[in-house]
Amino acid sequence: QMCIRDSQRRVRENRGTMVVYNFKKMRPVPKGKEFIDIVLSRTQRKTPTVVHKGYSIKRIRAFYMRKVKYTQQTFNDKISAILEDFPRLDDIHPFYADLANVLYDRDHYKLALGQLNVARGLIDKVAKDYVRMLKYADTQYRSKSLKVAALGRMATVMKKQASSLEYLEQVRQHMSRLPSIDPAARTLLICGYPNVGKSSFINKMTNADVEVQPYAFTTKSLYVGHMDHRYCRWQVIDTPGILDHPLEERNTIEMQAITALAHLRCCVLYFVDPSEECGHTLEQQLALFANIKPLFASKPLVIVANKMDVCPLSSLAPDKLSMVQQTFGETEIRNTSTITEEGLHELKEYACGKLLEFRVAGKVRSKKVEPIMNKLHVAIPKPRDSKPRPENIPDSVAARKQSSAMEEDERRTEKDLMLEGGGAGVYSADWKKQYLLKDPEWRYDVVPEIMDGKNIADFVDPEIEARLEELEAEEEALMAAAGEAMEMDEDEDDDEDGLDSEEEKEAADIRTRKGKTVAIARMNESSNRPVMPRRGRSTTRNLEEFQKHLSSMGIVQNKTEADGVMNKMRARSKSRERASKRGRSESPAPGGRARSRTPARTDQAFSGPAAKKLKESAEKIMRKQRKKMNKMGRAGEADRHIGDTNPKHMLAGKQDMRKTRDRR
């Protein structure tokens, strides 16, 4: 109780300066070595890095002083961001303050933040001292040594905070996973022994998805679900199970539930398992209620007897029933079952209504009501005499009121229609009955379908059914005619049986030719070869024409001709060897024939007048194909090319002696 009074006092003190924190937006905290690397690399990137020979000592001092100051400022900004991100436990709601104490240990938390604050002050002091000494440095070496010493001492200070930084990073990760609980919102808080059905209830009533298992302490932290009731948003908090033992012996999991019960303004739902399937007897559950009853002070309370499908409260033994009534007293007891969902809706309505009544009563008792009531004035007229003046309502008005009241009683709302039509998710509202049209009969007319800017209904034939009937009658007539024709064919077949032998032979020949024609047609259809065009068919050459064509090209036709040609060539070569050489002045013998030289051998494939044309066309095609290759082989715009090897803008003008002549 002292803890509750202390938290209420802190709420009153901090009500005007309450700070709302979003724990999920806290920035990560780097480790000690990473922290130093981040700051020093930033200093290297954001400050000048080169000292030239011509610099004066004043400029050299400013160079190194800037590095020391920038490093100190970066350390200061990083540490300040960490201290601002983490909430101050004295400024936040007592629920979050005590929850942080349970989860992270308030003393350890404050000590880590305090050590970072001290480290920030030490770094500022180191930078201030070394900047003062840098003002009196007389050489570049001394200035650089002071700068190195300053950065080294700052890094040493941060190395000592490695454990604090690591602890704060773990706290940040855990706080970012905490549920977003609004202490001022309308809240239903579920508590009780483990495995009594708390998580199953929140899963049924809200959009939460809490793990449900048949063993104790499945829920190890606070879970929040949200639901809508009377057009308002409600939050339902599922707490871990609590065991019946002293407060000092409770672990961190149980203390989360105790913290929520102590600090949140809510309606408490205390779950009881009369069937004792949770593993704890009914006496233990009642003893736990008596133990934590001080936490229910100034809060609406509802007792929930769960698992009524297994063991309803009325089926208990008389001694247990009397013990239950004696422990709970006049507190309302509600029977529910999360398996059959029996009694859940009634429990929700009752608990929410009770919390709303409690909140309204608290506002009426507060001081906020007096200024509002002072602005209201209710006028009560005083009677001027004792003469009775009863109300005078005309008969027409009374009849109209009576008829309108009857109509209101008979009127069925959309909700009634929904319940009759299968409920939410099944019933589909009829919106067309609300259309405001010139003629109410138009409400359910078919909406025109437009395609390509034209109404489809304009192209629908109104006599389509009559025409369809005519087509069906015509089809029946054709079918009947076809049946008659088949009967006549059968009669003719019967007449064919009387043919003589010659007529039967002719008929067999006709059938054979017809069958061959059909077979050839089918073979042509099934063949997967290219079809020769008619032009090619008409100019197809036979063997004799093809041999003449080869002879005209100078190509032998067969082996016999080839042997004759070879013998002829050998004879010519032998006669040429035996012949004596004659001089240039010598002339052939009179009456003799001059020996003609053997013509030069040419490619047989291109001999003859027709082959020359083929050769020319082939060479022309070859040259045309080489054009693209030759073009692609030349240098293009993507190739490395230096148009001017001595550009003036790169070689002309003054330059320092230390630089090379070519600026490229």
Side-chain angles (χ1 to χ4, degrees), residues 587-599:
S587 60
R593 186 173 57 87
R595 181 182 298 275
S596 61
R597 292 185 179 182
T598 305

Side-chain angles (χ1 to χ4, degrees), residues 109-128:
Y109 179 81
K110 286 189 172 183
L111 184 62
L113 293 178
Q115 287 176 348
L116 280 184
N117 194 18
V118 172
R120 180 176 59 177
L122 290 175
I123 289 173
D124 294 347
K125 186 178 179 181
V126 168
K128 185 177 179 181

Side-chain angles (χ1 to χ4, degrees), residues 270-276 281-283 285-286 302-337 342:
Y270 184 79
F271 272 65
V272 180
D273 182 10
S275 65
E276 300 180 356
T281 62
L282 186 60
E283 290 79 5
Q285 300 178 50
L286 298 178
V302 180
I303 307 300
V304 182
N306 198 21
K307 303 183 182 179
M308 63 177 297
D309 55 328
V310 179
C311 178
L313 197 63
S314 57
S315 63
L316 291 176
D319 55 343
K320 290 187 177 182
L321 195 58
S322 62
M323 184 169 52
V324 168
Q325 294 175 354
Q326 183 180 358
T327 304
F328 295 141
E330 298 180 357
T331 308
E332 182 76 18
I333 302 176
R334 291 279 175 168
N335 294 316
T336 60
S337 173
E342 186 176 355

Side-chain angles (χ1 to χ4, degrees), residues 457-617:
D458 296 340
F459 297 89
V460 176
D461 190 355
E463 301 178 356
I464 188 66
E465 294 183 358
R467 296 190 177 185
L468 183 60
E469 291 178 357
E470 293 178 1
L471 288 174
E472 290 178 352
E474 185 177 354
E475 185 178 1
E476 291 178 357
L478 291 174
M479 291 293 291
E484 294 177 358
M486 290 176 64
E487 291 178 358
M488 293 177 65
D489 292 341
E490 291 178 357
D491 296 340
E492 290 178 358
D493 293 339
D494 295 340
D495 295 338
E496 288 180 358
D497 296 340
L499 296 177
D500 55 5
S501 59
E502 293 182 359
E503 291 177 350
E504 288 180 359
K505 187 176 180 181
E506 291 178 359
D509 294 340
I510 293 171
R511 293 193 197 96
T512 303
R513 287 196 300 271
K514 186 177 179 181
K516 290 181 180 180
T517 305
V518 172
I520 293 170
R522 288 178 180 174
M523 288 174 62
N524 293 335
E525 288 178 358
S526 61
S527 63
N528 197 17
R529 301 174 183 175
V531 181
M532 183 179 291
R534 294 182 178 179
R535 183 179 178 184
R537 295 175 190 173
S538 60
T539 58
T540 303
R541 300 173 181 176
N542 52 21
L543 181 59
E544 295 179 358
E545 293 178 355
F546 188 67
Q547 289 177 352
K548 291 179 181 179
H549 175 66
L550 292 177
S551 300
S552 65
M553 294 176 62
I555 301 174
V556 295
Q557 300 178 10
N558 48 37
K559 185 177 179 183
T560 306
E561 293 184 5
D563 294 341
V565 171
M566 291 298 293
N567 295 330
K568 192 175 183 180
M569 289 173 64
R570 291 193 191 101
R572 287 181 180 178
S573 61
K574 290 178 181 179
S575 61
R576 191 182 297 115
E577 290 176 0
R578 289 191 297 267
S580 60
K581 295 182 179 179
R582 63 182 179 182
R584 295 186 179 180
S585 60
E586 293 181 2
S587 60
R593 186 173 57 87
R595 181 182 298 275
S596 61
R597 292 185 179 182
T598 305
R601 293 187 181 181
T602 58
D603 191 357
Q604 292 185 358
F606 294 99
S607 60
K612 291 182 180 180
K613 294 182 181 179
L614 291 174
K615 184 176 181 180
E616 291 175 359
S617 64

Side-chain angles (χ1 to χ4, degrees), residues 98-105 167 174 178 220 252-253 256:
D98 284 358
L99 188 62
N101 183 26
V102 170
L103 296 173
Y104 320 121
D105 188 1
Y167 166 76
H174 194 279
L178 287 177
K220 298 180 181 179
T252 304
I253 298 175
Q256 296 181 54

